Amino acid sequence: MKRNYRWDLGTTDEDRAAELARKLKLPLLVARLLVSRGLSSPEAAAAFLGEGTDEFHDPFGMKHMDKAVERIRRALRDGERILVYGDYDADGVTSTALMIRLLRRLNGQFDTYIPIGAWKATA
């Protein structure tokens, strides 16, 4: 199969990457990627990587989140099966994987469904 793409990371200031890796205790590859994205200061890189929780949104700002949390807690407590209904895009598959991981840790009983047929490329 012939490749139709090529990653272009551009050039990276190796000294800045090494300094960033040292200051933030990051693998050099991660520091290189951050510097190539323009995040060469430790402050900017740490903010991008999500150090701390100040930038997080409160999930309870979503309508009925309290009801959803209580329903999931009840299902876990009562041993009910939970259906994790995902979406076939990057964030949908990722969020489904995260829910599966969480439910496994909580010893939850669950099934998953991702409606692959709903995703179609349009031309």
Side-chain angles (χ1 to χ4, degrees), residues 2-65:
K2 185 176 178 184
R3 230 174 17 160
N4 293 329
Y5 56 87
R6 176 174 161 72
W7 286 86
D8 183 9
L9 298 178
T11 59
T12 301
D13 182 332
E14 291 295 327
D15 292 334
R16 278 194 181 186
E19 181 181 348
L20 190 64
R22 182 181 53 76
K23 286 185 176 178
L24 295 181
K25 296 183 172 89
L26 295 171
L28 185 56
L29 176 60
V30 173
R32 284 180 181 145
L33 290 170
L34 290 168
V35 169
S36 73
R37 293 188 75 170
L39 301 165
S40 57
S41 77
E43 298 78 20
F48 176 79
L49 293 172
E51 192 173 281
T53 58
D54 293 342
E55 300 298 317
F56 288 173
H57 294 280
D58 181 4
F60 286 91
M62 291 179 66
K63 187 176 182 179
H64 301 303
M65 179 60 80

Side-chain angles (χ1 to χ4, degrees), residues 83-105:
L83 178 63
V84 179
Y85 192 103
D87 190 10
Y88 195 75
D89 58 13
D91 61 329
V93 172
T94 302
S95 61
T96 301
L98 289 170
M99 279 300 294
I100 289 169
R101 188 172 182 169
L102 173 66
L103 291 172
R104 281 186 180 143
R105 284 188 171 203

